[in-house]
Amino acid sequence: MSLIHCPTTTTTRLRHPPLSPTVKFTVIKCCSLTSPVTVVNGNLEMTSSDKNRNEIRLGLPSKGRMAADTLDLLKDCQLSVRQLNPRQYVADIPQLSNVEVWFQRPKDIVRKLVSGDLDLGIVGLDTLSEYGQGNEDLILVHDALAYGDCRLSLAIPKYGIFEKINSVKELAQMPQWTAEKPLRVATGFTYLGPKFLKENGLEHVDFSTADGALEAAPAMGIADAIVDLVSSGTTLKENNLKEIEGGVILESQAVLVASKKSLLQRKGSCQHERI
Ligand SMILES: Nc1ncnc2c1ncn2[C@@H]1O[C@H](COP(=O)(O)OP(=O)(O)OP(=O)(O)O)[C@@H](O)[C@H]1O
Ligand SMILES: O=P(O)(O)OC[C@H]1O[C@H](OP(=O)(O)OP(=O)(O)O)[C@H](O)[C@@H]1O
């Protein structure tokens, strides 16, 4: 997928070892740039609100599960991210003079891609889907960076009235859920969760949200079901919960995403090829 082409470019062709051998990842540096990004004690030679800047801004996870693996991926691509100190949120990549790196929380990377304050970002597909909410300006440049694997799933208790419920269809057909007594679902995914349940015929649903440890909600009597990320399945198992047929909302891994609009304004380009 080609986003923008600079007529005279220098190309660094890279291959990330864990990816399929048929995937190539090409970053093009545009030669028309007049000056590289200068980072002096964290102060850039531009204001953050300058949407006319030439530099390409890449958002990387500042902490959490994705942070270390993202730096490892770039390192495997011979792209070293140079950060003056860990509490400084701006960095550069010496091999890509027109790119500046900004460390942000994954959800803020998506928000800033939407607002045009970042041009490219690496986040989980789950985060992109939740906070991007189908925004057509956000395009997947690479949809499988081969780490951060997990799935967003609906899970219900193994016990009680759910003991014999093994599919979303069966859950939707339970006579218990009425306008007065809806199915109570705890989730941090307040866009994808309701969308999925509505699309699957669950009309009477009441959502609550929390920042973590959602698996406790059914046992605490706060919720009947949860919508949360699952990878090994251990947390569900340890809390007597189960996934059910048709309940996987999204399969996720790390992706490289771009704002089409803001990249088109830049004098650089990023190209991804699949052959
Ligand atoms: N078992 C897992 N649980 C949660 N996230 C996982 C798991 N495996 C991979 N991931 C990926 O890691 C991301 C979570 O990263 P992180 O922990 O930084 O996010 P977060 O806790 O949602 O962020 P924040 O703290 O900003 O709310 C998910 O969005 C997902 O893409
Ligand atoms: O399937 P598993 O391998 O058990 O992983 C899934 C768990 O990991 C995440 O929680 P995290 O560890 O980020 O803690 P949190 O619940 O406080 O967000 C996620 O929200 C699940 O609770």
Side-chain angles (χ1 to χ4, degrees):
M1 186 192 317
S2 179
L3 303 180
I4 19 179
H5 285 285
C6 172
T8 46
T9 58
T10 54
T11 304
T12 314
R13 185 166 289 248
L14 305 164
R15 191 180 289 251
H16 175 53
L19 295 178
S20 143
T22 59
V23 175
K24 282 181 190 166
F25 192 172
T26 306
V27 179
I28 295 180
K29 291 187 277 185
C30 180
C31 58
S32 64
L33 287 172
T34 49
S35 62
V37 184
T38 306
V39 183
V40 182
N41 294 330
N43 296 318
L44 293 175
E45 283 181 342
M46 53 180 276
T47 61
S48 60
S49 59
D50 183 2
K51 301 282 197 307
N52 296 319
R53 61 195 151 76
N54 287 330
E55 295 79 12
I56 295 172
R57 287 183 173 179
L58 168 66
L60 299 182
S62 54
K63 56 164 86 165
R65 290 169 194 269
M66 308 283 293
D69 286 347
T70 300
L71 293 180
D72 287 348
L73 164 78
L74 293 171
K75 210 165 150 194
D76 287 345
C77 295
Q78 321 303 321
L79 297 172
S80 50
V81 178
R82 199 172 55 173
Q83 195 179 10
L84 290 185
N85 75 62
R87 295 304 295 174
Q88 209 170 65
Y89 296 122
V90 65
D92 67 2
I93 298 176
Q95 298 87 342
L96 301 174
S97 61
N98 59 328
V99 172
E100 56 182 46
V101 170
W102 288 93
F103 288 101
Q104 294 284 294
R105 301 295 278 265
K107 63 182 81 160
D108 290 328
I109 291 176
V110 179
R111 289 175 178 138
K112 288 181 167 84
L113 283 165
V114 170
S115 66
D117 293 306
L118 288 172
D119 306 315
L120 286 162
I122 294 182
V123 294
L125 181 62
D126 57 311
T127 308
L128 174 63
S129 308
E130 174 67 21
Y131 295 94
Q133 303 194 351
N135 187 318
E136 287 184 0
D137 181 51
L138 299 179
I139 50 172
L140 282 177
V141 180
H142 200 306
D143 64 359
L145 294 177
Y147 64 94
D149 295 67
C150 58
R151 56 191 179 275
L152 181 64
S153 271
L154 174 71
I156 57 174
K158 289 179 181 168
Y159 48 87
I161 57 168
F162 299 103
E163 200 177 342
K164 294 199 165 65
I165 303 297
N166 293 308
S167 69
V168 175
K169 202 171 163 196
E170 288 169 3
L171 180 68
Q173 285 169 351
M174 286 174 78
Q176 278 86 348
W177 320 128
T178 63
E180 292 73 36
K181 196 179 172 304
L183 174 77
R184 297 164 307 152
V185 179
T187 186
F189 289 80
T190 57
Y191 169 73
L192 293 175
K195 186 169 175 283
F196 175 80
L197 289 176
K198 197 172 169 202
E199 285 167 2
N200 280 273
L202 277 135
E203 285 173 28
H204 305 300
V205 188
D206 191 22
F207 289 91
S208 61
T209 191
D211 288 334
L214 285 162
E215 290 84 352
M220 290 175 80
I222 296 168
D224 303 300
I226 66 164
V227 167
D228 197 12
L229 296 173
V230 181
S231 52
S232 67
T234 307
T235 314
L236 288 183
K237 194 165 158 249
E238 294 301 326
N239 287 281
N240 268 316
L241 301 172
K242 62 182 178 187
E243 292 180 276
I244 51 179
E245 194 192 320
V248 176
I249 299 167
L250 179 85
E251 295 280 0
S252 180
Q253 63 176 289
V255 297
L256 175 64
V257 57
S259 157
K260 190 166 54 177
K261 198 168 55 200
S262 63
L263 268 191
L264 285 168
Q265 286 168 6
R266 305 282 94 80
K267 287 182 188 165
S269 68
C270 178
Q271 186 181 69
H272 165 253
E273 291 173 28
R274 189 172 289 237
I275 55 172

